[in-house]
Amino acid sequence: MPADLVLGIDLSTTAAKAAAFDVQGRLHAAGRAPLSLARPAPDRFEQDPRDWWAALCQAVAGVTATVDPGRIAGLALAHQRETFACLGPDGQPLRPAMLWLDGRARGHLGAVIDRIGQDRLRALSGKAADFGPALPKIAWLASEEPDTHRRTALFCDVQAYLVQALTGRARTSWASADPLALFDIGARRWSEELCAAAGITPERLPEALPPGAPLGAVSATAAAATGLREGTPVLAGGGDGQMAGLGVDALDPRRAYLNLGTAVVFGVFCPEPRQDPAWRTMTSASGRGYVLESSLRSGALLSDWYLRRQLGVDPRDGAAMAALEAEAASLPPGSGGLLLLPYWEGAMNPHWDPDARGAILGLTDAHGRGHVYRALIEGVALEQALVLDLMRGAAGIEVAEFAAVGGVAASDLWCGVMADATGVAIERSETVEAACLGAAMCAAAGAGLAESIEAAARAMRGTATATFHPDAGRRGRYAALLGIYRDMYPQLSGLLRRLSAFTRD
């Protein structure tokens, strides 16, 4: 039987997912395994890299139990970005991996900027000073865990660690190296200057190759653990944001991706590496061009907090969620005078304030749970509208449609509010696991089943299951509300920083 399928694997923050697709993008088999998240102290988020491998093996075994592994022409990986592991000379982890959510390096950002300079950091890496990437965390290790910093032979992203487990050699892609803020996105190589700011050299980082490039082949040991065929090609994938964008074929500036997941991320393709504090600049999953990307850490994470912690509602309870969304949908824009600032986990672009905090303004005893839930969605949507307006002004970006993926993209209320607040049509993609599909597109190109990654994206992208167009009346109301929202952070930031400092004392 010919090798006519490709395997896309996504190692996210909460689960490993694997999916086998044909070259028309049709799903043939899927597997999934959960991942746990450790919070050993406030602001600290960790995982054991060995758990990544165990979850990948379980997810892939769910695929190979269904389809003949001989049909899999190649595989590629998508993964949580910015997260990294510290490996000793024997390739084993020296400590738990620090995740993208981990905020322990907040206090080291100033020292990093003193070494490299804010403008130079952005010019080289496309990133602002933020606690998410590996750069400040590796600098934190040098100060707080100097023995770990000294003994680490390889600081590697999630893809590099898993490729080592699959093939015996740690290698990664540009689209995985880039989010660590140690990568020169113009030269497409590790930056000696950025590495020096973290106290390391590029030799302590994995080799980085273009998306779709061969990284190795599945070893006999990995084949036994996963059910894959020994020798199956492993091709370069990338970070889950770029891979999800590729999965919905967002390779044109007018078609952007909108990932409504734990974090809310949208990205717009751009041929040049445009730089501005309003966004971060990433390398494209196609290996050509760049992505201007906005990221809000509090997306579905925020709604999950409200549902579970405040209402005692399980988001998986269909009846309970339908009732809550009906209450919120019956309300007009503005949620009866409520306005929410969604910085539960600090602010990334455009403010880059790790000490920012969330706020709900306008509460009275007339407000119920539906008002707060709608205000939560509106706060997230207005943040996207704010950044999109900044992109229009600074980069001349005109987005015609968002291809929406992620958990809450299944909600008509979320998609409708997003369309009305941004003024952009929201296309709900049929692609459930967009990052897996994007990785599979890289595998299809690398394995020779498609002429290029762009050709794979055109052939394999799914169709829209629904499209939400902005309503003119509601759009006008949200435009007026955005004028108030713009002033919310500038007016409250000083007070919120003081409150944040008070809670840490």
Side-chain angles (χ1 to χ4, degrees):
M1 183 174 293
D4 59 341
L5 303 178
V6 282
L7 182 66
I9 302 168
D10 178 21
L11 197 294
S12 72
T13 312
T14 58
K17 293 151 280 187
F21 299 92
D22 62 27
V23 292
Q24 284 79 45
R26 293 177 297 221
L27 178 67
H28 285 249
R32 184 184 181 95
L35 273 170
S36 60
L37 180 65
R39 298 192 64 176
D43 274 352
R44 300 194 177 189
F45 294 82
E46 297 180 341
Q47 284 174 334
D48 187 334
R50 288 166 292 204
D51 291 342
W52 299 341
W53 173 240
L56 179 147
C57 290
Q58 183 179 339
V60 173
V63 173
T64 55
T66 303
V67 300
D68 180 350
R71 295 181 64 190
I72 298 174
L75 67 89
L77 291 154
H79 59 89
Q80 53 176 294
R81 299 181 292 183
E82 302 181 324
T83 297
F84 71 99
C86 300
L87 306 186
D90 61 354
Q92 295 302 308
L94 296 175
R95 68 173 325 282
M98 287 188 268
L99 270 60
W100 58 281
L101 281 166
D102 193 289
R104 76 186 71 194
R106 292 173 199 268
H108 287 257
L109 286 172
V112 169
I113 294 306
D114 287 344
R115 291 178 202 142
I116 191 70
Q118 177 76 271
D119 292 342
R120 187 63 175 159
L121 172 63
R122 182 176 289 113
L124 287 170
S125 72
K127 315 300 179 289
D130 182 58
F131 63 76
L135 194 166
K137 291 170 186 167
I138 295 175
W140 179 92
L141 282 168
S143 173
E144 305 299 325
E145 294 183 15
D147 187 56
T148 300
H149 190 278
R150 177 184 56 81
R151 292 172 55 215
T152 297
L154 199 67
F155 296 92
C156 66
D157 60 86
V158 177
Q159 176 168 209
Y161 181 82
L162 294 174
V163 167
Q164 175 182 263
L166 283 164
T167 71
R169 182 177 177 185
R171 297 170 109 185
T172 193
S173 83
W174 297 342
S176 297
D178 166 19
L180 301 181
L182 297 166
F183 194 71
D184 183 332
I185 62 172
R188 300 292 211 282
R189 63 171 180 259
W190 297 112
S191 164
E192 291 190 10
E193 198 173 340
L194 294 171
C195 288
I200 63 172
T201 62
E203 289 71 31
R204 297 172 73 185
L205 296 162
E207 182 183 5
L209 298 167
L215 300 182
V218 172
S219 68
T221 301
T226 60
L228 291 166
R229 172 180 52 85
E230 182 181 354
T232 301
V234 178
L235 295 314
D240 53 8
Q242 296 111 302
M243 289 296 112
L246 179 61
V248 295
D249 192 22
L251 296 176
D252 180 281
R254 292 182 58 80
R255 179 179 170 83
Y257 63 85
L258 176 64
N259 192 344
L260 297 172
T262 303
V264 170
V265 177
F266 80 77
V268 185
F269 180 84
C270 187
E272 304 88 25
R274 299 282 182 87
Q275 306 279 356
D276 194 273
W279 60 81
R280 57 184 183 179
T281 307
M282 318 291 289
T283 56
S284 169
S286 68
R288 286 173 285 277
Y290 298 85
V291 176
L292 311 185
E293 191 178 84
S294 172
S295 182
L296 174 66
R297 289 189 179 97
S298 303
L301 180 148
L302 175 53
S303 64
D304 195 69
W305 164 84
Y306 180 61
L307 294 166
R308 293 184 186 275
R309 300 280 293 276
Q310 308 305 314
L311 299 183
V313 170
D314 187 336
R316 297 169 297 182
D317 184 336
M321 286 304 302
L324 179 60
E325 294 219 340
E327 289 178 37
S330 70
L331 300 168
S335 303
L338 292 187
L339 191 58
L340 182 141
L341 190 67
Y343 299 152
W344 263 236
E345 297 293 334
M348 295 179 68
N349 60 290
H351 307 301
W352 300 109
D353 181 358
D355 293 319
R357 290 294 180 267
I360 305 174
L361 295 186
L363 280 166
T364 72
D365 62 359
H367 292 118
R369 64 176 198 165
H371 293 87
V372 177
Y373 185 65
R374 185 181 181 100
L376 180 157
I377 298 170
E378 290 179 336
V380 173
L382 288 167
E383 181 74 5
Q384 310 316 302
L386 172 66
V387 177
L388 189 59
D389 277 358
L390 292 170
M391 282 189 182
R392 287 189 185 110
I397 294 294
E398 286 296 340
V399 176
E401 62 184 7
F402 278 120
V405 297
V408 294
S411 163
D412 288 359
L413 177 61
W414 274 85
C415 290
V417 170
M418 284 286 171
D420 293 336
T422 62
V424 175
I426 306 293
E427 175 191 288
R428 180 188 290 152
S429 174
E430 71 172 355
T431 304
V432 176
E433 297 294 352
C436 282
L437 181 55
M441 291 169 176
C442 289
L449 299 186
E451 292 183 0
S452 65
I453 293 176
E454 291 92 342
R458 289 191 297 271
M460 297 173 70
R461 66 176 264 191
T463 58
T465 59
T467 301
F468 300 80
H469 296 281
D471 174 85
R474 292 191 296 270
R475 172 66 184 142
R477 293 285 293 168
Y478 280 119
L481 195 58
L482 181 60
I484 302 171
Y485 182 83
R486 287 181 196 278
D487 293 333
M488 196 172 177
Y489 170 81
Q491 295 286 342
L492 292 177
S493 58
L495 286 172
L496 292 172
R497 275 195 294 270
R498 287 168 59 191
L499 184 59
S500 177
F502 175 80
T503 59
R504 290 199 297 269
D505 290 342

